[in-house]
Amino acid sequence: MPEYVDKLRVTVRVSRPGEPAVEGRLSLFPHSAHHVGPETLLELLDPPAGFLPFERSSDDAVLLLSRPDIQWVMAGPEVDSELIRPPTYRFTREERVRVSLREGDVLDGLIQMELPENINRVSDYLNGPERFFPLATRQGTFMVHKAAVREVCLFDASPLPLEDAVGGR
């Protein structure tokens, strides 16, 4: 018989096409298969298919959400950053952007990227294999499904990597 694993429950808002965003909870494994520490929302969302158990706040109903149908997930304000993206994720570049989704939502924020030294464009980052990318906004951090994006508008030229901008850490 499979062993029950207590999971970490995080408050999120989830957007799906043609419906208003819904508040509820997703569950993360306490230990990631990829790094030291707990599983993150980005890791939970990344598989190409399958269903996520989502506990809706309004009535505690459990919905099984299809990953390909999710437009974005926004972490609640109390969700620790280590539960959003892996602690090994190192920002080397930031770009201020406007993300327009196929269903009409528009999100303004910062794409904070982890890129090798020889790559510095947001297009390289967005063309990577991950299915979701984090977008830091004034409302919170969104995990945006790349397949839901119609376009990304860049506002500025790429700045220096963060470590160079803060004095060569």
Side-chain angles (χ1 to χ4, degrees), residues 101-149:
L101 303 180
R102 294 181 194 285
E103 292 291 316
D105 288 349
V106 176
L107 304 170
D108 288 334
L110 282 176
I111 292 181
Q112 297 169 316
M113 303 167 280
E114 179 181 45
L115 294 171
E117 282 185 35
N118 60 337
I119 296 175
N120 67 351
R121 299 177 307 187
V122 71
S123 60
D124 297 322
Y125 176 71
L126 292 175
N127 284 320
E130 299 82 11
R131 287 166 186 80
F132 285 78
F133 65 92
L135 180 70
T137 73
R138 288 192 169 126
Q139 295 82 29
T141 301
F142 287 78
M143 276 60 64
V144 181
H145 194 184
K146 290 178 183 178
V149 174

Side-chain angles (χ1 to χ4, degrees), residues 3 8 12-16 30 40 50 54 73 75 81 83 89 99 116 121 127 136 152-154 162:
E3 182 181 324
L8 304 170
V12 297
R13 290 182 65 217
V14 175
S15 172
R16 297 179 295 159
T40 67
F54 174 75
V73 171
S81 63
L83 297 177
Y89 195 97
V99 177
R121 299 177 307 187
N127 284 320
V152 175
C153 176
L154 306 175
L162 290 180

Side-chain angles (χ1 to χ4, degrees), residues 1-168:
M1 172 176 261
E3 182 181 324
Y4 177 77
V5 176
D6 265 334
K7 295 195 178 176
L8 304 170
R9 293 161 41 100
V10 294
T11 302
V12 297
R13 290 182 65 217
V14 175
S15 172
R16 297 179 295 159
E19 297 182 20
V22 178
E23 188 169 313
R25 289 165 293 285
L26 291 172
S27 297
L28 304 172
F29 280 108
H31 303 287
S32 172
H34 307 290
H35 58 83
V36 174
E39 178 181 40
T40 67
L41 284 170
L42 279 175
E43 291 169 310
L44 177 70
L45 293 168
D46 197 51
F51 292 84
L52 294 175
F54 174 75
E55 186 179 346
R56 192 168 50 198
S57 293
S58 62
D59 58 6
D60 293 331
V62 175
L63 307 175
L64 299 177
L65 303 180
S66 170
R67 279 181 177 94
D69 193 47
I70 295 171
Q71 292 186 113
W72 53 257
V73 171
M74 184 179 90
E78 73 286 348
V79 176
D80 192 326
S81 63
E82 79 170 6
L83 297 177
I84 295 173
R85 55 184 139 225
T88 55
Y89 195 97
R90 187 174 150 260
F91 304 144
T92 57
R93 180 94 44 215
E94 288 185 332
E95 296 257 2
R96 194 168 63 89
V97 297
R98 172 169 288 144
V99 177
S100 299
L101 303 180
R102 294 181 194 285
E103 292 291 316
D105 288 349
V106 176
L107 304 170
D108 288 334
L110 282 176
I111 292 181
Q112 297 169 316
M113 303 167 280
E114 179 181 45
L115 294 171
E117 282 185 35
N118 60 337
I119 296 175
N120 67 351
R121 299 177 307 187
V122 71
S123 60
D124 297 322
Y125 176 71
L126 292 175
N127 284 320
E130 299 82 11
R131 287 166 186 80
F132 285 78
F133 65 92
L135 180 70
T137 73
R138 288 192 169 126
Q139 295 82 29
T141 301
F142 287 78
M143 276 60 64
V144 181
H145 194 184
K146 290 178 183 178
V149 174
R150 184 171 46 86
E151 70 182 23
V152 175
C153 176
L154 306 175
F155 289 107
D156 306 306
S158 295
L160 291 171
L162 290 180
E163 63 183 22
D164 291 342
V166 223

